[in-house]
């Protein structure tokens, strides 16, 4: 075992006395230290406080928690008395996680820095939703700018709710960031084309109320949305939006010339930064490519920011921008299905965050988090924004940095609110060149599909039932993408529900999973082979 002198620098606030046998020192303990164990084997902390009790060998192993976790478990569980083991587990349930993670309370400047980092990581994904939606429905740039501001404002408010909570009503009280969900884009476009924009936000408000009502029951029924249902839905979200990204890149013009070269350059830059970048550079690759691509587009005379000068520095989004909401039944059903998909998506990310924090995700906490997602749809319906979900890239950021401070996330929420109150920022985003935002969106939508494929990789395909569910769900979901004319002869209500790639995928996957795995006995591989 390495000695204390040769080990890495000890974290501030820790001390131990070298020497002794097995676990460490049998020297005199300080007045504020606590000995536990037997045979003069002592573990020390500086004070009788909330700090976890760890031995010097564990401080050494904290530098490589995954490689040496077995060694730490042996030390903690084999040499200590039962009462000492229970004390250590009570004070420090996961010694590796406690030793390897920075403290939850950070200095103000570090809290602010990590909050800015959260915003940089999620900003492009958040504003891409109103850009895709506005471009698909042919909205002018000033209207798209308003949607961008409303989107950032709602994302900031819901992020604050998720991080800090509202009593026992809403909010996970976890370090998670909320942002506009790509899940809702395609159904919203279909509703807007059929019934108008006022129906889009009326259906969103109804779906948000539905989500808030079913949040508690849904938190107890997660087993009906296994990885094959979630994976099929998320994969279809990405695949169905790739065509929109291509349309944004080239518009009605054939691919070629400067837009094609610029789009390829942006994609290559993202790949290089994500593959060879480190830390914040890799995490902000999409944002960096967006900025540099816009500079290159300006050099090629592909930009027009003339409308930015006329925008105000401060302003609130207009409620009910597209008139009094209407509530078509087909649109409401479609958006309610979307809300269930958003719930499954948020549940997966919340479970990953809870696992990183070393604590279970209680049903009550999950219900409050999902209720906040529902509230985002209600608030978004009033402010012409979009339903929010937990952003995967920020969950990954928490795991990569080890910083699980809710205060840092609250700072990010405050920054998003501030950005949402600056109309000039919305105008800048709305006037980004199509070749740049389209190529960035292409990478992001492909990444969404990749996340879904990774989820499907967890499915047990030794059972033909699971393979059948995934195959049929994906096949039927692709029909509106590759052959949309198939649904043209159907009534509009049926076309809105079944003619959407995402909603049809969710319906097929959920129903088949319910029948095969819950209503009828599952077949074993031997029975399938026979």
């Amino acid at each position: 075992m390495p000695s204390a002198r040769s080990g890495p620098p000890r974290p501030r606030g820790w001390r131990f006395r070298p020497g002794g046998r097995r676990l460490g020192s049998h020297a005199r303990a300080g007045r504020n230290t606590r000995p536990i164990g037997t045979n003069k084997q002592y573990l020390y902390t500086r004070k009788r406080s909330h700090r976890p009790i760890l031995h010097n060998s564990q401080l050494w192993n904290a530098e490589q928690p995954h490689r040496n976790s077995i060694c730490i478990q042996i030390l903690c569980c084999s040499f200590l008395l039962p009462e000492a083991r229970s004390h250590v587990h009570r004070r420090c349930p996961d010694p590796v996680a406690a030793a390897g993670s920075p403290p939850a309370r950070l200095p103000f400047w570090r809290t602010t820095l990590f909050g800015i980092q959260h915003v940089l990581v999620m900003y492009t994904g958040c504003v891409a939703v109103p850009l895709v939606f506005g471009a698909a429905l042919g909205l002018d740039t000033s209207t798209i700018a308003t949607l961008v501001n409303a989107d950032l404002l709602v994302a900031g408010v819901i992020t604050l709710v998720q991080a800090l909570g509202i009593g026992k009503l809403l909010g996970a009280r976890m370090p998670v960031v909320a942002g506009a969900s790509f899940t809702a884009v395609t159904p919203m476009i279909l509703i807007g084309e059929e019934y108008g924009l006022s129906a889009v936000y009326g259906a969103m408000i109804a779906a948000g109320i539905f989500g808030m009502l079913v949040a508690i029951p849904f938190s107890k029924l997660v087993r009906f949305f296994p990885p094959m249902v979630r994976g099929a839905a998320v994969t279809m979200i990405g695949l169905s939006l790739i065509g929109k990204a291509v349309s944004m890149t080239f518009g009605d013009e054939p691919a070629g010339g400067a837009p094609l070269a610029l789009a390829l350059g942006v994609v290559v830059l993202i790949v290089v930064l994500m593959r060879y970048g480190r830390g914040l550079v890799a995490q902000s690759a999409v944002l960096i490519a967006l900025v540099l691509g816009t500079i290159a587009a300006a050099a090629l005379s592909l930009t027009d920011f003339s409308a930015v000068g006329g925008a105000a520095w401060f302003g609130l989004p207009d409620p009910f921008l597209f008139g009094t909401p209407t509530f078509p039944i087909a649109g409401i059903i479609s958006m309610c299905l979307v809300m269930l998909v958003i719930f499954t998506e948020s549940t997966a990310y919340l479970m990953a965050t809870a696992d990183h924090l070393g604590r279970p995700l209680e049903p009550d906490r999950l219900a409050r988090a999902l209720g906040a997602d529902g509230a985002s749809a209600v608030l978004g319906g009033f402010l012409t924004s979009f339903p929010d979900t937990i952003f995967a890239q920020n969950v990954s950021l928490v795991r990569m940095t080890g910083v699980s401070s809710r205060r840092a996330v609250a700072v990010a929420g405050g920054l998003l609110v501030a950005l949402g109150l600056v109309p000039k920022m919305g105008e800048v985003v709305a006037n980004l060149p199509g070749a740049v935002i389209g190529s960035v969106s292409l990478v992001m939508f492909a990444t969404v599909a990749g996340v879904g494929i990774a989820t499907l990789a967890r499915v047990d395909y030794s059972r033909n039932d699971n393979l059948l569910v995934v195959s049929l769900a994906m096949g039927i979901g692709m029909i509106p993408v590759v052959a949309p004319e198939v649904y043209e002869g159907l009534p509009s209500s049926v076309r809105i529900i079944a003619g959407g790639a995402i909603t049809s995928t969710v319906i097929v996957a959920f129903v088949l999973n319910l029948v095969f795995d819950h209503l009828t006995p599952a077949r074993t591989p031997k029975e399938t082979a026979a």
Side-chain angles (χ1 to χ4, degrees):
M1 181 182 298
S3 65
R5 295 181 182 274
S6 62
R10 296 185 295 277
R12 185 175 63 183
W14 298 90
R15 75 173 181 177
F16 58 87
R17 298 181 184 275
R21 295 174 295 173
R22 290 187 181 177
L23 289 181
S25 173
H26 62 273
R28 293 193 306 272
R31 181 177 62 181
N32 290 330
T33 59
R34 175 180 298 190
I36 62 174
T38 185
N39 292 332
K40 299 181 180 179
Q41 300 161 7
Y42 295 139
L43 306 180
Y44 296 116
T45 54
R46 170 172 287 181
K47 296 181 179 180
R48 296 175 184 268
S49 65
H50 65 279
R51 294 182 182 276
I53 298 178
L54 296 175
H55 176 254
N56 57 337
S57 64
Q58 291 171 294
L59 290 176
W60 173 269
N61 286 324
E63 298 298 319
Q64 297 175 327
H66 300 292
R67 181 180 299 178
N68 298 306
S69 60
I70 297 178
C71 176
I72 293 178
Q73 293 172 10
I74 292 174
L75 288 172
C76 289
C77 299
S78 298
F79 294 113
L80 297 180
L81 290 174
E83 60 268 25
R85 287 200 300 268
S86 63
H87 181 76
V88 172
H89 290 168
R90 183 169 62 253
R91 293 286 299 276
C92 181
D94 186 356
V96 175
S101 301
R105 291 181 178 271
L106 300 172
F108 174 77
W109 69 271
R110 290 191 66 193
T111 301
T112 304
L113 181 63
F114 282 114
I116 295 173
Q117 188 178 22
H118 273 295
V119 174
L120 292 177
V121 168
M122 62 82 66
Y123 184 83
T124 309
C126 192
V127 300
V129 172
L131 292 177
V132 173
F133 176 77
L137 292 178
L139 303 180
D140 58 79
T141 56
S142 61
T143 303
I144 296 176
T146 303
L147 297 181
V148 170
N149 284 113
D151 177 35
L152 294 173
L153 178 62
V154 173
V157 171
I158 300 303
T159 296
L160 288 170
V161 171
Q162 295 286 24
L164 304 179
I166 300 179
K168 296 183 178 180
L169 297 177
L170 296 174
R173 296 177 188 262
M174 294 173 67
V176 292
V177 176
S181 174
F182 286 117
T183 305
V185 173
T186 302
M188 290 175 65
I189 292 173
L190 292 175
I191 296 171
E193 292 174 342
E194 183 65 31
Y195 298 108
L197 288 169
S198 61
V200 171
Y201 291 99
M204 185 190 301
I205 293 173
I209 296 173
F210 166 79
M212 297 178 70
L213 293 176
V214 303
I216 294 178
F218 186 92
S219 66
K220 304 178 186 302
L221 300 175
V222 179
R223 67 181 186 276
F224 293 109
F225 294 87
M228 63 179 171
V229 178
R230 300 197 307 266
V234 175
T235 302
M236 189 54 59
I237 292 169
L239 294 178
S240 64
L241 290 172
I242 287 178
K244 301 291 189 301
V246 175
S247 299
M248 291 174 63
T249 303
F250 302 109
D252 297 329
E253 301 295 328
L260 178 60
L262 181 60
L264 289 176
V266 170
V267 172
V268 170
L269 179 59
I270 293 174
V271 172
V272 170
L273 292 176
M274 295 186 70
R275 176 61 180 84
Y276 299 103
R278 293 292 182 270
L280 183 60
V281 173
Q283 295 157 6
S284 304
V286 173
L287 184 63
I288 294 173
L290 190 67
V291 173
L292 295 181
T294 301
I295 294 174
L300 296 172
S301 301
L302 296 177
T303 58
D304 181 13
F305 292 102
S306 57
V308 176
W313 280 103
F314 177 82
L316 291 171
D318 296 328
F320 301 129
L321 179 64
F322 301 109
T324 304
T326 57
F327 302 90
I329 298 300
I332 293 174
I333 294 174
S334 177
M335 290 301 295
C336 286
L337 291 173
V338 167
M339 187 58 60
L340 294 178
V341 177
I342 291 175
F343 278 8
T344 59
E345 188 179 359
S346 292
T347 299
Y349 298 142
L350 288 166
M351 292 173 67
T353 304
D355 181 65
H356 172 71
L357 297 176
R359 67 188 185 197
L361 181 62
E362 305 90 348
D364 291 344
R365 185 184 300 274
L366 176 59
R368 294 197 303 270
L370 299 180
D373 285 348
S376 73
V378 176
L379 182 60
F382 280 94
L383 297 179
T384 59
S385 179
F386 302 86
D388 284 352
T389 186
I390 305 300
F391 259 34
Q393 48 265 55
N394 294 92
V395 173
S396 300
L397 181 62
V398 170
R399 296 179 69 91
M400 291 171 61
T401 62
V403 178
S404 55
S405 171
R406 291 191 292 129
R407 289 178 175 82
V409 173
V411 169
L415 291 173
L416 289 171
V417 170
L419 291 172
L421 297 176
V422 181
K424 277 189 181 295
M425 180 63 67
E427 286 287 353
V428 170
V429 174
N431 285 277
L432 290 174
V436 175
I437 194 64
S439 56
V440 166
S441 299
L442 175 66
V443 174
M444 296 179 64
F445 298 154
T447 303
V448 172
V451 171
I453 293 171
T455 304
L456 290 174
R458 297 161 48 193
V459 178
D460 179 14
Y461 291 106
S462 62
R463 293 176 48 198
N464 283 346
D465 288 351
N466 291 345
L467 181 62
L468 182 62
V469 171
V470 173
S471 301
L472 283 177
M474 297 297 296
I476 294 177
M478 285 297 296
I479 293 177
V481 178
V482 299
E485 65 277 2
V486 171
Y487 297 97
E488 290 181 357
L490 298 177
S492 59
S493 58
V494 177
R495 189 167 61 250
I496 292 295
I497 299 172
I502 299 169
T503 52
S504 58
T505 300
V506 172
I507 291 172
V508 173
F510 176 78
V511 171
L512 291 182
N513 172 69
L514 184 67
V515 173
F516 292 162
D517 287 354
H518 298 281
L519 299 182
T520 59
R523 294 189 301 169
T524 63
K526 292 183 178 179
E527 292 174 341
T528 303

